Amino acid sequence: MKHLLLVCWLCCACLQGFAEDGSRLWLRADATAKAVVTANKKSPTINIAIQELQTQWQGNAVKLNIQNANKNKALNDAYTIAGDAKTGVSISAFSDRGLLYGAYHLLRLQQTKRLVYPLNIQESPKYNLRILNHWDNLDGTVERGYAGRSIWKWDELPAVISPRYKEYARANASIGINAAVVNNVNASPQILRTEMLAKVKVVADILRPYGIRVFLSVNFSSPTILSGLPTSDPLDAAVQQWWRNKANEIYKLIPDFGGFLVKANSEGQPGPQDFGRTHAQGANMLADALKTHKGIVMWRAFVYSPSNDDRAGQAYMEFVPLDGQFRDNVIIQVKNGPIDFQPREPFSPLFGAMKKTDVMAEVQITQEYLGHANHLAFLAPMWEEFLNSDTYSNGKNSLVAGTITAMSGVANIGDETNWNGHHFAQANWYAFGRLAWNPQLRADEIADEWLRQTFSQDADFVEPVKKMMLQSWDAVVHYMMPLGLHHIFAVGHHYGPEPWGVIPGGRPDWQPWYFHNADTLGVGFDRTAAGSNAVSQYFVPLRQTFNDINTCPENLLLWFHHAPWNHAMHNGRSLWQELCYQYDEGVQQVREFQKVWDQQAAAIDAERFEHVQSRLKIQSRDAVWWKDACLLYFQEFARQPIPYDIERPVHNLEDLKRVKLEISNHENAKR
Ligand code: GCV
């Protein structure tokens, strides 16, 4: 009897949603089905597809059908789904991976209650490479990670295998992610030691059936650091041989190894320029070592130096002249914006500018500059704006999405139970995968399907919460850096405001003033023809549009212009007034999110409800902190009152200047 009571209590608890820790992500379907699933081929990948369908598919029989393929098509992840409720469904693909993606698609339709018969679906990913970049260090810390320590337990591997590896692979496969760089771009050379490669092999073996290939970030000086070679010069024959040997060693262990990611000559990392060589010479040397194995090099364009008078323009200046010099197995990895994953940036002018070189986009899923794991910021609208920006590189309608050949996202994954720190940060991992598959998806479609799978089907929950998600990025931009302001974060950890921040003797391009330039005349970075002329890196007509203060989009005004405080905005307010109203708007938006969320207590489980509620309280307080800090600071230059119809500051500037956060990220010391 006692046992029965306990079982009943546990059942009730589950039904009411207790013990919901977010660990199941969006993959929460009951695995109690007994579907009939057949396949015309068996393989570890197809077996996963079969098992997923057998245990979750509630409909009639499913047939998995591998189609005969020529060599090219066999690499393709495309699939079709056809059938009706009576006769059953068939999923066809050229590759095993295609079948797995088809299976997850079908289950997603069921889970979101979007199954409409007869089914006639044809899917093909826009990009063949959809890759997560982990900034995970070998000691278990994660650079810019806010969800605990690394999921890769290098100390325990290869003997101990965390169950999380498989769960991670499954989650990625369910959204089409097919590759992962498992270590930080600030790469320890140690990753290439033979003992480490044996551990990486174990991870690769677990990820492979889920269609995920492993890549490594490498340190350009590895030949010198690991083997004592006198140089790591890419034109040195012994260095070239060292990399060839290393590639051979890796491919013996991991036959489908993807290749290398390289951060070179950037923020203190070594690179070819240390030896008087170009980025192309450095990248090509590695590409040659990988070529026979069909591996690729992802070479990052995130480069800037303190001597340059505008950091925003440097990547373009270094890389465009090298266009045409890279091997065909090199892809240049370019951050979405020209500075560094700021809350809002214009797209980098490198997109569309390198006509003879493959370029891939790098977006940041982890919220380094968007409130870490404390703030609810759904990033799909930002990525949607970015991917749909017109570069004009081939005339009108040359969207960023069409200029790139792959997408990478800096992961927000850690070993915390809910994977990402904030329950809603899971939506950003999800959105990245979905957009890397299909950049034409709209943010609202992605939010809708994520909410339905992760929380509830109930429209009374989905509709208001979706609206909140879709406004959340806008809100963060408003209370942190509206109108094109950028990089006015606290030095180091990048969490709170510090427009006054000074690193004594530090690099100018790491100091907030470098970016906002506030003085009694105005505020903003002059990138017009009269200033740094970074506008010239954009194609016509954008360079004129951005150059002219009257045509520059107002949400990027202070990115491109040092605008007078009394500059007339389109709505008739002065710049100073508009700045005040936008900061205030951000605060009001978060307060509204709290109201929306508080009404959902009965709609979902208590555990996740309370977790999100507590984070929204922090976000609300932080929004006021940002608003007060920035307005009180800029007011010293603008010398005008804060409009009287908006909320008054509740802090004193001097107190805010004394705030020093203890954020225990190992990387806090650097900016
Ligand atoms: C991995 C910014 C971040 C660094 C990061 C760097 C990069 O500067 O603050 O933590 O380093 O970008 O993308 O290489």
Side-chain angles (χ1 to χ4, degrees):
M1 185 62 186
K2 235 183 186 176
H3 277 112
L4 193 65
L5 281 177
L6 183 66
V7 170
C8 288
W9 182 85
L10 280 174
C11 288
C12 290
C14 287
L15 282 177
Q16 286 173 27
F18 292 108
E20 283 287 10
D21 53 18
S23 58
R24 288 186 295 158
L25 295 161
W26 48 88
L27 296 164
R28 298 161 54 83
D30 287 342
T32 52
K34 292 202 168 46
V36 178
V37 184
T38 52
N40 68 349
K41 181 189 165 193
K42 291 281 163 64
S43 74
T45 302
I46 295 178
N47 291 347
I48 294 171
I50 293 175
Q51 204 218 341
E52 294 282 22
L53 290 164
Q54 274 174 343
T55 54
Q56 293 166 61
W57 176 243
Q58 311 283 349
N60 268 340
V62 183
K63 277 190 196 140
L64 300 179
N65 175 32
I66 281 284
Q67 293 168 316
N68 284 335
N70 62 31
K71 227 177 168 192
N72 275 346
K73 282 195 171 161
L75 296 173
N76 198 312
D77 292 340
Y79 57 85
T80 59
I81 307 178
D84 56 47
K86 265 199 185 155
T87 54
V89 177
S90 69
I91 304 176
S92 304
F94 294 112
S95 69
D96 300 3
R97 212 157 59 181
L99 286 186
L100 183 61
Y101 294 144
Y104 283 122
H105 188 141
L106 189 63
L107 292 172
R108 182 163 62 238
L109 292 179
Q110 172 178 271
Q111 185 71 357
T112 52
K113 301 213 187 319
R114 295 282 194 250
L115 263 176
V116 182
Y117 290 109
L119 290 163
N120 183 13
I121 295 165
Q122 290 170 357
E123 279 281 332
S124 179
K126 169 85 175 163
Y127 309 116
N128 286 334
L129 182 62
R130 307 172 294 276
I131 184 167
L132 284 182
N133 292 358
H134 289 265
W135 285 358
D136 295 21
N137 298 307
L138 303 188
D139 65 1
T141 55
V142 182
E143 181 153 349
R144 311 305 180 186
Y146 313 106
R149 291 172 62 79
S150 172
I151 54 162
W152 313 117
K153 304 296 175 194
W154 300 117
D155 288 353
E156 300 173 358
L157 282 161
V160 179
I161 295 176
S162 157
R164 277 244 151 160
Y165 302 153
K166 212 184 227 181
E167 293 164 18
Y168 163 89
R170 178 174 179 241
N172 280 326
S174 75
I175 50 176
I177 290 172
N178 66 0
V181 184
V182 293
N183 63 318
N184 192 354
V185 283
N186 289 327
S188 163
Q190 305 304 323
I191 190 70
L192 292 180
R193 280 173 40 232
T194 301
E195 305 86 277
M196 278 307 299
L197 293 177
K199 298 172 191 243
V200 176
K201 174 201 161 37
V202 172
V203 171
D205 288 346
I206 297 168
L207 304 193
R208 184 174 303 111
Y210 288 88
I212 297 167
R213 289 199 302 161
V214 162
F215 286 67
L216 293 177
S217 295
V218 295
N219 182 301
F220 202 77
S221 289
S222 296
T224 306
I225 300 170
L226 288 184
S227 302
L229 263 60
T231 178
S232 291
D233 181 349
L235 298 197
D236 183 279
V239 171
Q240 294 169 355
Q241 188 59 47
W242 189 93
W243 283 106
R244 275 198 297 272
N245 293 344
K246 195 44 86 177
N248 294 342
E249 183 187 348
I250 297 173
Y251 278 93
K252 256 195 204 134
L253 292 168
I254 309 170
D256 61 347
F257 179 68
F260 296 142
L261 171 65
V262 192
K263 172 174 177 177
N265 294 118
S266 164
E267 298 188 329
Q269 293 299 314
Q273 293 175 340
D274 303 347
F275 311 97
R277 313 298 182 195
T278 66
H279 285 290
Q281 288 170 316
N284 291 346
M285 184 263 298
L286 295 176
D288 290 344
L290 295 168
K291 180 81 181 175
T292 50
H293 305 286
K294 302 197 168 51
I296 63 162
V297 173
M298 298 179 293
W299 191 268
R300 294 178 92 226
F302 178 65
V303 293
Y304 60 97
S305 63
S307 55
N308 199 295
D309 62 1
D310 182 4
R311 176 176 157 175
Q314 190 165 340
Y316 182 101
M317 290 193 300
E318 285 200 33
F319 280 85
V320 171
L322 299 176
D323 192 18
Q325 294 182 29
F326 292 95
R327 300 279 192 268
D328 60 7
N329 59 334
V330 174
I331 309 186
I332 305 302
Q333 181 169 299
V334 180
K335 288 188 180 184
N336 60 290
I339 297 278
D340 190 10
F341 301 135
Q342 296 301 289
R344 175 181 251 122
E345 298 200 28
F347 68 87
S348 163
L350 271 171
F351 295 109
M354 297 186 73
K355 308 258 189 228
K356 299 181 202 135
T357 311
D358 280 347
V359 169
M360 66 193 287
E362 180 182 9
V363 297
Q364 195 180 40
I365 310 170
T366 191
Q367 291 169 231
E368 173 180 358
Y369 296 105
L370 287 112
H372 297 186
N374 281 342
H375 294 200
L376 193 162
F378 179 51
L379 301 180
M382 181 207 291
W383 300 331
E384 187 182 18
E385 176 179 293
F386 159 65
L387 291 163
N388 289 304
S389 294
D390 199 343
T391 64
Y392 290 90
S393 55
N394 270 325
K396 204 167 159 39
N397 287 328
S398 311
L399 307 189
V400 167
T403 68
I404 56 178
T405 56
M407 267 193 81
S408 59
V410 181
N412 62 349
I413 297 163
D415 69 358
E416 276 188 11
T417 309
N418 75 8
W419 297 87
N420 308 109
H422 196 304
H423 287 288
F424 276 79
Q426 296 179 353
N428 292 331
W429 178 7
Y430 184 89
F432 168 75
R434 299 289 286 128
L435 283 169
W437 179 279
N438 178 3
Q440 283 174 342
L441 281 178
R442 294 190 322 267
D444 65 307
E445 296 174 273
I446 298 172
D448 192 275
E449 63 181 48
W450 177 79
L451 279 170
R452 285 170 184 280
Q453 292 171 90
T454 310
F455 280 109
S456 164
Q457 295 285 340
D458 185 351
D460 289 344
F461 171 84
V462 172
E463 292 310 317
V465 176
K466 180 168 53 179
K467 201 167 154 211
M468 170 180 83
M469 286 175 78
L470 293 173
Q471 286 177 357
S472 58
W473 166 56
D474 194 51
V476 176
V477 173
H478 277 144
Y479 63 71
M480 284 188 183
M481 274 159 269
L483 298 175
L485 281 173
H486 50 288
H487 229 314
I488 55 175
F489 293 94
V491 170
H493 55 68
H494 298 164
Y495 183 74
E498 205 172 89
W500 53 83
V502 176
I503 315 174
R507 292 170 58 147
D509 53 351
W510 284 355
Q511 322 259 2
W513 195 85
Y514 173 96
F515 297 99
H516 66 67
N517 286 286
D519 55 26
T520 53
L521 300 177
V523 62
F525 200 121
D526 185 358
R527 297 196 164 101
T528 67
S532 79
N533 202 20
V535 288
S536 67
Q537 296 180 344
Y538 289 91
F539 287 92
V540 173
L542 284 182
R543 62 176 69 148
Q544 288 96 338
T545 309
F546 292 150
N547 192 56
D548 183 341
I549 197 167
N550 295 311
T551 55
C552 181
E554 288 190 335
N555 58 20
L556 291 173
L557 183 70
L558 306 181
W559 186 283
F560 287 111
H561 294 268
H562 187 70
W565 292 111
N566 286 329
H567 168 74
M569 305 296 289
H570 298 324
N571 61 10
R573 291 180 183 145
S574 71
L575 165 62
W576 166 249
Q577 288 167 340
E578 184 60 15
L579 203 62
C580 294
Y581 281 108
Q582 294 220 358
Y583 271 106
D584 193 57
E585 170 75 10
V587 171
Q588 303 312 327
Q589 282 174 296
V590 183
R591 299 239 171 97
E592 203 49 46
F593 299 163
Q594 288 185 281
K595 288 181 202 157
V596 169
W597 190 252
D598 282 357
Q599 292 174 60
Q600 308 308 329
I604 61 160
D605 53 280
E607 200 171 338
R608 288 184 300 170
F609 171 78
E610 281 164 17
H611 194 264
V612 173
Q613 187 184 46
S614 71
R615 299 280 161 130
L616 279 170
K617 287 180 189 167
I618 299 174
Q619 186 170 0
S620 204
R621 289 195 294 269
D622 284 353
V624 176
W625 173 30
W626 268 97
K627 172 191 158 206
D628 286 3
C630 295
L631 290 187
L632 291 172
Y633 173 74
F634 288 127
Q635 191 178 31
E636 293 189 328
F637 302 96
R639 299 178 179 168
Q640 300 186 36
I642 294 171
Y644 295 108
D645 55 342
I646 64 175
E647 254 181 58
R648 316 319 295 160
V650 293
H651 300 97
N652 296 320
L653 184 57
E654 290 316 308
D655 295 339
L656 294 179
K657 284 186 178 176
R658 281 194 289 271
V659 174
K660 290 280 170 256
L661 289 188
E662 300 263 329
I663 295 182
S664 58
N665 273 326
H666 78 289
E667 77 275 14
N668 280 351
K670 69 189 276 292
R671 187 180 173 83

